[in-house]
Amino acid sequence: MPKDWDAHYLHQPPLSQPAFVVAAYAHRLPAGPVLDLAGGTGRNAFFLARRGHPVFLLEKSRVALEFVQAESNRHRLGIWALEADLEAPDPSLPPGPFAGVVNSYFLHRPLLTRLTERLLPGGLVLLEGFTVQEAARRGSLASHYWQAGELLHPPSGLHLRAWAEGWMDGHHRTWAVWEKPV
C-alpha cells in the first residue's frame, strides 16, 4: 500500500537541516535554478534558496506543498512548490536547464535517465538515501532503497565526482555527486 504522504507531513515537524550531500556540495553548484525532486517540506530547497538559487520543488503531498509555499512567501525566497507524482509512468518534469538536481531520500530509478538533459553544462546531481542494508535492518522493501555501490554508476552523459556509503547517524546511507561535463 502506498504511503499517505499528507498524513506523514501532518504528523511530523519539518526537517530543518539539509541532506548531507546538499550541505557539503551546494557551494559547487553553478549559478542558476535547482530542481528538488520529492522535496517534502523543503529542507534542501530552503537551504539552496537562501544561497541564491531559485528552486523548483516537486512533491506529491499537498500538505508539504502548502507548507513550502507559505514559508517561501513569508521569507521571500524564490521557491516554486509544484505538485507532481514522480512515480507516475511518465511524470512531467520542468525542462530546465538547471544548475543542479537534488534527489534526497526518494528513489524512482526511471527518473535518473532523464536528469542529464535537464542540466546545464557543469551542473550537478546531488543524491542521498538509504541503502538495502538499511532496508534489511528496518524490515522494509528493498526496492525503495539504493543497492550497494549503485550510485557509483551515473546515467549516460554524467560523471561521478564524489561518493560514499556507510553508517551515518545510525543509518546505512549512500550519497553521490554526479556532474554534467562542461
Side-chain angles (χ1 to χ4, degrees):
M1 172 194 258
K3 186 168 184 167
D4 181 347
W5 288 105
D6 284 336
H8 172 80
Y9 290 120
L10 275 173
H11 295 101
Q12 86 170 27
L15 296 171
S16 60
Q17 296 299 313
F20 167 81
V21 71
V22 173
Y25 287 88
H27 70 283
R28 294 197 166 227
L29 286 167
V34 174
L35 180 61
D36 188 357
L37 301 174
T41 54
R43 67 184 182 139
N44 296 314
F46 288 109
F47 181 83
L48 293 165
R50 287 186 180 103
R51 282 151 184 77
H53 291 281
V55 179
F56 293 85
L57 179 144
L58 303 183
E59 174 56 51
K60 186 175 186 175
S61 167
R62 288 182 185 224
V63 169
L65 290 168
E66 289 170 8
F67 173 82
V68 169
Q69 202 60 67
E71 287 298 298
S72 174
N73 291 341
R74 188 164 72 90
H75 294 286
R76 298 183 180 177
L77 293 170
I79 300 173
W80 291 265
L82 308 170
E83 187 172 358
D85 180 357
L86 296 172
E87 293 179 307
D90 188 24
S92 178
L93 297 176
F98 294 99
V101 176
V102 174
N103 186 2
S104 169
Y105 296 92
F106 169 75
L107 176 56
H108 187 62
R109 287 176 179 90
L111 284 178
L112 299 176
T113 61
R114 298 178 61 197
L115 302 181
T116 305
E117 66 196 36
R118 285 173 170 73
L119 281 174
L120 292 166
L124 302 177
V125 179
L126 306 176
L127 303 114
E128 184 172 324
F130 294 121
T131 65
V132 292
Q133 188 170 341
E134 181 67 15
R137 188 183 74 80
R138 293 178 175 202
S140 298
L141 293 173
S143 62
H144 296 311
Y145 293 77
W146 296 103
Q147 295 292 321
E150 185 174 2
L151 292 180
L152 286 168
H153 309 285
S156 178
L158 299 176
H159 298 285
L160 180 67
R161 289 293 168 233
W163 171 83
E165 189 169 286
W167 293 98
M168 292 173 53
D169 300 323
H171 301 282
H172 204 266
R173 306 169 196 247
T174 187
W175 61 264
V177 178
W178 296 341
E179 182 178 36
K180 182 173 182 175
V182 177

